[in-house]
Amino acid sequence: MPRTATGQGSRDRMLALSGLFAAAFLAATLIPAQSEAVLVALIVAGGHPLWLLLTVATVGNVLGSVVNWVIGRFMMRFAGHPRFPFSETQVARAQGWYGRWGWISLFGAWLPVVGDPLTLAAGLMREPLWRFLIVVTLAKFGRYAALAAITLGAAG
């Protein structure tokens, strides 16, 4: 069956959204990725409603953060094992830091370098998933919305 121009365009748009989702998901895990570059490229290219791009990027990024939360949540079962990646001192320091700042620190989940480990620490410190989702979603959406506003302002 031959492809029509419209069918190809729909396929290309779906691939672009899938790529944005994958980049946003990976960027939120401990794997380095650049979802911001993908988002900016798609905003500049046009072809997708802004609300859809922001939604796809936010959902992908939040789900990647949930992976970190789950890893942190179940990681403590292995404390004391020789291959456990953190020393008792590091765990105690993280508990003290998270105890001092608590869930408010999750508003920094959008930050480069520290944001991803912060979501892991939230799971480690047994932050309730419902609160984690609310705060991290607000933080991640805020970052993407600010980036979109800057991009649109620069494109003028």
Side-chain angles (χ1 to χ4, degrees):
M1 178 175 217
R3 288 192 179 134
T4 63
T6 305
Q8 184 66 37
S10 294
R11 183 173 160 239
D12 290 347
R13 285 192 299 278
M14 187 54 103
L15 282 172
L17 291 174
S18 298
L20 175 60
F21 180 88
F25 182 90
L26 289 174
T29 65
L30 300 175
I31 300 169
Q34 285 295 318
S35 61
E36 294 85 357
V38 177
L39 178 62
V40 167
L42 290 174
I43 291 171
V44 170
H48 295 92
L50 183 60
W51 69 265
L52 181 58
L53 294 175
L54 292 175
T55 300
V56 169
T58 300
V59 169
N61 213 237
V62 169
L63 288 176
S65 293
V66 169
V67 168
N68 293 343
W69 180 89
V70 168
I71 290 169
R73 180 81 177 206
F74 295 104
M75 186 180 276
M76 286 307 292
R77 292 179 184 202
F78 304 104
H81 187 275
R83 293 189 186 181
F84 188 71
F86 305 109
S87 69
E88 288 182 32
T89 305
Q90 289 172 314
V91 171
R93 193 174 345 160
Q95 287 172 328
W97 178 80
Y98 203 84
R100 186 173 9 155
W101 295 103
W103 64 268
I104 295 292
S105 64
L106 289 173
F107 280 109
W110 66 272
L111 293 166
V113 181
V114 297
D116 300 337
L118 188 59
T119 59
L120 186 87
L124 190 69
M125 302 305 146
R126 306 186 90 52
E127 184 63 45
L129 183 59
W130 67 268
R131 184 168 38 217
F132 176 88
L133 286 172
I134 291 169
V135 176
V136 169
T137 300
L138 290 172
K140 304 280 189 165
F141 175 79
R143 177 202 44 207
Y144 286 129
L147 181 62
I150 291 166
T151 301
L152 292 172

